[in-house]
Amino acid sequence: MTPETEGLLTALRDARRLLLITVQDVTDTQLTERSTVSELTLGGIMNHLTRSERVWTHILTGTTGRTPDGMWDMGQYLAPEGATVAGLRTAYEAAALATDEAATKADPGKEVPLPETPWEPGVVHHWPVRRILLHLLQETAQHTGHADIVRESIDGANSTARRL
């Protein structure tokens, strides 16, 4: 693993850790509780970030540029029926581990084909592995902030105070 990849993964792991702190001690019922006018829930955020890890790991390790299953499925922003905190946490940690393993084996400068997007049919962009990791970091940090707002609105807990 390169020092660059190690640094990117350290930052990504820190963002993931904050998400897990945010959902610590949440009940299964609170997973689907909407605490703002937004549709976002803690379970939906965890489900989306798990899917994001899986999708981007597939893109990172694939060379075809094919769209991974479920990449454009808007249901990923919802908690799966019957979801539990333990189940979502386990799935998220497994997806994160798979991302880390793939990233440690990849050259950060290697260009990877991205899937076609619905808004640019026929256009295939290429991103270096480092940009994929940066995108995952950005996605994780952004949604961890969302989760913190949702959690604080539910019961007053926040990840900043809980990380001490």
Side-chain angles (χ1 to χ4, degrees), residues 12-13 16-21 23-24 46-47 49-51 53-54 57 84-101 140:
L12 181 55
R13 288 175 186 137
R16 291 173 183 150
R17 185 176 63 82
L18 284 175
L19 175 69
L20 295 176
I21 288 170
V23 299
Q24 186 177 6
M46 288 191 71
N47 189 45
L49 287 175
T50 300
R51 177 80 58 94
E53 293 270 356
R54 289 179 181 149
T57 299
T84 65
V85 176
L88 288 174
R89 184 183 180 109
T90 298
Y92 182 64
E93 289 173 336
L97 182 61
T99 299
D100 289 0
E101 288 175 0
T140 304

Side-chain angles (χ1 to χ4, degrees), residues 48-129:
H48 168 62
L49 287 175
T50 300
R51 177 80 58 94
S52 292
E53 293 270 356
R54 289 179 181 149
V55 161
W56 285 103
T57 299
H58 176 85
I59 292 167
L60 178 81
T61 59
T63 56
T64 64
R66 284 184 299 198
T67 303
D69 290 339
M71 184 169 183
W72 308 118
D73 176 13
M74 295 308 287
Q76 69 181 289
Y77 295 95
L78 303 173
E81 188 72 31
T84 65
V85 176
L88 288 174
R89 184 183 180 109
T90 298
Y92 182 64
E93 289 173 336
L97 182 61
T99 299
D100 289 0
E101 288 175 0
T104 60
K105 297 174 187 171
D107 172 0
K110 177 186 173 199
E111 294 281 329
V112 178
L114 303 184
E116 263 184 55
T117 60
W119 51 91
E120 283 187 298
V123 177
V124 176
H125 295 280
H126 290 77
W127 279 4
V129 168

